Amino acid sequence: MNEAMADLRVRWLGRMEFADALSLQEELLAQKREDRSLEDELLLLEHEPVYTIGRTPDKSSLLGSAHLPHPLFAINRGGQATYHGPGQLMGYPIIDLRRCGQDLHRYLRWLELLLIELLANYGITAWQREALTGVWIDHRKIASIGVGVRHWVTMHGFALNVCGDLSPFNYIIPCGINNVSMTSMEKETGKAFSVVDVARVFEKLALDRIIRLRIGQEAQPVNV
C-alpha cells in the first residue's frame, strides 16, 4: 500500500494480536506527543479473536466475563464491550486533532462518513443513527467506533465487519445496545470479500478525504 500522501501515512499490518497493536499505538502516540511535526498515521489490520471494553464502571455489556471464549482487554477508549477478530477490518488513526479544530465529534462523524462512502463503493447503503456512534444498515450494525484521545492525539478507531463469523458477538451485548443485530458486508450481499482488498479501498478514501477533516479548522486553546 502507498505509505505517504497528504501527510497521512497508511500502513497495512496484516493479522496481529490485540496487545501488539495496542503497544504500537502507544509507541506512535508517545512519539507524536514529543514531536508534533510527525505525520499522522492510519494503521489498518485484522485481529486475532479478542473482546474489548472501554473506560466505564458499567461492565454489564460483558454479561460477566468467565463465559467469554476469547481474551478480554479493558482499554482507554469510550464505549462498552465489543468483539474483534478475523474478517473484520480494524482502523487505528493516530491523528493530531489540533490540526482539525480540536473537535472530537467532528472526527467521529468523519470516520462514520468514510465508512459509509466505503460501503457505497460496494453497493451497500448505510448511514448514521442519531445519538448512536457507528454505521448502520436499518437497525443492523456493520461498523463500530470507539476512540481514545490523549493531548488531542487519537488512538483506537473503527471496526468494520467485512466477512467471517459473527457468533462471538452473541456472548456480549455489543456496544451495550440491547437487541442489536450485528451484520457484515458478506452477510448483507451474499458475496465474498477480502479484508485486505477492502483495506486498499479504505486507504484511498482516507488519503482523499483527510483534507475534509482539516480544512478551515483553527485550533482552540482547550486541553485534553
Side-chain angles (χ1 to χ4, degrees), residues 149-162:
V149 180
R150 293 184 191 170
H151 305 279
W152 288 112
V153 179
T154 67
M155 62 184 298
H156 305 301
F158 70 84
L160 171 66
N161 300 327
V162 176

Side-chain angles (χ1 to χ4, degrees), residues 18 47-56 58-65 67-75 77-85 88-92 133-136 141-147 156-161 165-177 180-183:
F18 182 84
H47 279 314
E48 299 296 344
V50 65
Y51 292 94
T52 69
I53 190 166
R55 49 180 186 273
T56 172
D58 177 11
K59 309 294 184 185
S60 59
S61 60
L62 289 172
L63 301 174
S65 58
H67 69 296
L68 296 178
H70 304 298
L72 170 67
F73 285 80
I75 57 175
R77 62 160 171 80
Q80 288 283 343
T82 194
Y83 163 78
H84 303 310
Q88 195 178 70
L89 173 62
M90 302 299 304
Y92 293 142
T133 300
V135 176
W136 304 77
K141 194 170 192 181
I142 194 167
S144 301
I145 294 175
V147 304
H156 305 301
F158 70 84
L160 171 66
N161 300 327
D165 184 16
L166 296 175
S167 65
F169 284 105
N170 297 334
Y171 291 86
I172 59 174
I173 301 174
C175 304
I177 304 171
V180 67
S181 175
M182 302 300 293
T183 191

Side-chain angles (χ1 to χ4, degrees), residues 67-200:
H67 69 296
L68 296 178
H70 304 298
L72 170 67
F73 285 80
I75 57 175
N76 65 320
R77 62 160 171 80
Q80 288 283 343
T82 194
Y83 163 78
H84 303 310
Q88 195 178 70
L89 173 62
M90 302 299 304
Y92 293 142
I94 312 297
I95 290 179
D96 188 348
L97 292 184
R98 295 194 308 177
R99 303 178 61 193
C100 309
Q102 293 179 271
D103 189 335
L104 180 58
H105 293 289
R106 185 169 184 268
Y107 170 66
L108 292 170
R109 303 296 83 79
W110 178 78
L111 282 179
E112 289 169 344
L113 291 173
L114 267 182
L115 290 165
I116 289 168
E117 188 172 356
L118 170 75
L119 291 166
N121 276 270
Y122 294 94
I124 300 171
T125 301
W127 50 76
Q128 299 157 304
R129 287 181 64 185
E130 187 175 356
L132 292 173
T133 300
V135 176
W136 304 77
I137 300 172
D138 293 327
H139 293 283
R140 302 180 298 280
K141 194 170 192 181
I142 194 167
S144 301
I145 294 175
V147 304
V149 180
R150 293 184 191 170
H151 305 279
W152 288 112
V153 179
T154 67
M155 62 184 298
H156 305 301
F158 70 84
L160 171 66
N161 300 327
V162 176
C163 56
D165 184 16
L166 296 175
S167 65
F169 284 105
N170 297 334
Y171 291 86
I172 59 174
I173 301 174
C175 304
I177 304 171
N178 287 308
N179 301 316
V180 67
S181 175
M182 302 300 293
T183 191
S184 67
M185 296 172 63
E186 178 183 66
K187 188 174 181 179
E188 291 296 320
T189 65
K191 299 176 182 178
F193 293 97
S194 159
V195 173
V196 67
D197 289 344
V198 174
R200 289 191 182 102

